[in-house]
Amino acid sequence: MKLLLSTVLGALVLAAARPAQAWVLAPSPNDTIVVKLPNKAVMTLVVHDAQQLRQLPQYHLDSLVARLSGYIKRADAAAKVAETDRLTTIFHPDQDQPGQQLPEEIRITTRKPGPGSYGPSNKIEVLLEKKFGVVINTDGNTNSQPRAAGRADRQAHRDSLRQARWEYKSSSTDLVFDLGLNALVNQPGGAGRPELRTLGSRYVNLGFDHRQRLGGRRSPLYLILGPEFAFNNYMLEGNNKWVNQNGQTSVALETSGRQYQKTKLATSTFTVPLMLQLGLHDRHGNTALRLGAGGFVGYRLGSWTKLKYFEDGTTYKDKDYGSYNLTDWQYGLQGVLDYRSLTFFAKYTLNNLFREGQGPQAQTLSFGVRIFGN
């Protein structure tokens, strides 16, 4: 196949220098150029107009022969293990060797013989920047009016493109937005234990996650690295409030008769996650399941309390910006489960929320869904 391609493309370069009468042209608007070589090999070239024909030399087809040989070898190897009858592999010569005036994109489509394909033999399509294509047919038969692809073939084409994009894309950076709830765990029993209002104790996380593939082009293993900004709310049940007196943070019941609508402690934290992620794909190349696990480290940027109450016909919101003896550095474990378009996350802080001996003994568990992002 490589020798055949080299011969055909070489003939195309030579033919480009000859008068157009050396080619067989079909009626407009699309001209089909059929080149028959002495060894019975046949090449079909489809152009929209004469202008595209005159542009052929700028693609340096002669210099692409050696490069295409390597590309086809890689495409053939991928096709042997592909589950579909048709596989499209995308290459970018201009990125590999900038400044050489090579095509920006080459797509090599390999079809397997059998029902559902265009014919009984293997075929290779080479698309240069989606402007015109070269079809190499190894059985010597030509058809100036190729039949339209059916639904199954179009689906196979989409699947192969998706598979090619998945294999080519080794890294990405995505904006992530997580929304969930907080809970305090591992608390000892007894009085003064903080009881949180479930829906009011919200967790919000916003940041960028960089995914880097580990291993070869088909490796499903990725390394995830952030930066992220997390916001934790700890809203108390009942008419309790957070207090900080004599270097000690505690929960106290309001005894003045004032009724609180909200009493919460909030923190903002800069975190850096580090996870390994395993991505599993279905036979169409879609991501079916992702499993991620790892850890994180973070530093608290700020903290404050907020009391909201209604008194004498007026709504009051009292804020106090203080440390409340919270631990500055945080570290813990986290995991992500992504099933198709739905992503769940969980984060467990290993160290206590408050400094040792200066507040309730408790650790934070955050969980929820990822609104968007990887």
Side-chain angles (χ1 to χ4, degrees):
M1 176 60 68
K2 297 184 216 175
L3 180 59
L4 173 61
L5 180 64
S6 301
T7 304
V8 172
L9 289 180
L12 176 60
V13 175
L14 293 176
R18 299 178 182 175
Q21 289 81 359
W23 296 331
V24 180
L25 298 181
S28 296
N30 291 333
D31 290 337
T32 301
I33 303 172
V34 179
V35 179
K36 295 184 179 181
L37 301 181
N39 62 355
K40 296 184 179 181
V42 178
M43 179 182 68
T44 304
L45 178 66
V46 180
V47 295
H48 291 287
D49 49 35
Q51 178 64 24
Q52 283 193 348
L53 191 62
R54 290 191 293 267
Q55 291 175 349
L56 282 178
Q58 77 180 42
Y59 291 98
H60 304 282
L61 298 181
D62 52 343
S63 64
L64 282 176
V65 172
R67 183 178 299 275
L68 284 174
S69 177
Y71 288 162
I72 291 176
K73 182 178 180 181
R74 291 163 59 182
D76 286 340
K80 290 179 181 179
V81 297
E83 297 181 0
T84 60
D85 291 335
R86 173 172 172 164
L87 179 68
T88 297
T89 310
I90 304 175
F91 303 95
H92 298 84
D94 188 57
Q95 295 181 10
D96 296 339
Q97 289 189 355
Q100 301 297 320
Q101 294 184 338
L102 296 175
E104 296 179 1
E105 182 178 284
I106 291 181
R107 300 189 181 198
I108 298 180
T109 301
T110 303
R111 299 190 183 97
K112 296 180 180 178
S117 61
Y118 278 55
S121 62
N122 294 333
K123 294 184 179 181
I124 293 178
E125 286 184 353
V126 181
L127 276 70
L128 306 181
E129 301 179 5
K130 304 180 182 180
K131 294 181 180 179
F132 56 85
V134 180
V135 180
I136 309 299
N137 187 352
T138 60
D139 62 4
N141 296 324
T142 62
N143 185 356
S144 60
Q145 297 294 333
R147 83 176 185 190
R151 179 180 299 178
D153 192 73
R154 289 195 298 268
Q155 180 62 47
H157 179 61
R158 288 192 293 267
D159 294 344
S160 61
L161 289 178
R162 191 179 297 111
Q163 180 78 6
R165 287 194 298 268
W166 170 61
E167 292 182 6
Y168 177 77
K169 195 173 184 179
S170 61
S171 64
S172 64
T173 301
D174 300 296
L175 178 67
V176 296
F177 178 65
D178 299 331
L179 183 62
L181 302 174
N182 292 309
L184 295 179
V185 296
N186 297 332
Q187 298 187 74
R193 171 177 174 168
E195 297 290 344
L196 298 184
R197 187 181 304 177
T198 303
L199 297 181
S201 301
R202 290 182 293 271
Y203 171 85
V204 176
N205 181 61
L206 182 66
F208 292 93
D209 279 1
H210 177 75
R211 301 172 70 244
Q212 178 64 51
R213 176 179 284 140
L214 302 178
R217 292 187 305 120
R218 296 180 62 85
S219 172
L221 189 62
Y222 285 83
L223 179 67
I224 310 295
L225 183 66
E228 297 177 350
F229 293 90
F231 302 88
N232 296 73
N233 283 341
Y234 305 94
M235 187 175 294
L236 295 173
E237 281 281 15
N239 208 36
N240 296 305
K241 62 180 180 180
W242 296 96
V243 295
N244 183 25
Q245 294 179 341
N246 302 322
Q248 185 75 24
T249 299
S250 60
V251 175
L253 179 65
E254 179 62 49
T255 58
S256 65
R258 177 183 296 167
Q259 294 297 316
Y260 292 115
Q261 296 173 288
K262 293 182 180 180
T263 61
K264 71 176 183 179
L265 171 66
T267 65
S268 60
T269 309
F270 172 77
T271 63
V272 178
L274 183 63
M275 289 195 301
L276 289 177
Q277 186 181 75
L278 179 65
L280 304 179
H281 296 74
D282 59 19
R283 63 187 182 90
H284 298 301
N286 295 314
T287 301
L289 182 67
R290 284 197 185 112
L291 294 172
F296 69 91
V297 62
Y299 183 79
R300 181 175 57 84
L301 300 176
S303 59
W304 62 94
T305 59
K306 180 179 179 181
L307 300 175
K308 182 179 179 181
Y309 55 93
F310 186 79
E311 195 171 76
D312 297 331
T314 304
T315 299
Y316 294 92
K317 297 179 181 179
D318 297 341
K319 288 187 177 182
D320 179 23
Y321 294 89
S323 68
Y324 280 81
N325 303 305
L326 292 161
T327 304
D328 290 330
W329 287 98
Q330 300 176 9
Y331 58 91
L333 304 175
Q334 66 177 4
V336 175
L337 172 62
D338 183 355
Y339 180 71
R340 299 193 182 276
S341 60
L342 190 60
T343 303
F344 301 93
F345 73 88
K347 299 180 69 173
Y348 173 62
T349 305
L350 293 175
N351 59 321
N352 286 330
L353 177 62
F354 298 94
R355 299 185 187 125
E356 188 68 28
Q358 294 181 277
Q361 181 180 335
Q363 294 164 290
T364 302
L365 174 65
S366 304
F367 55 92
V369 296
R370 178 155 291 179
I371 305 302
F372 59 82
N374 216 349

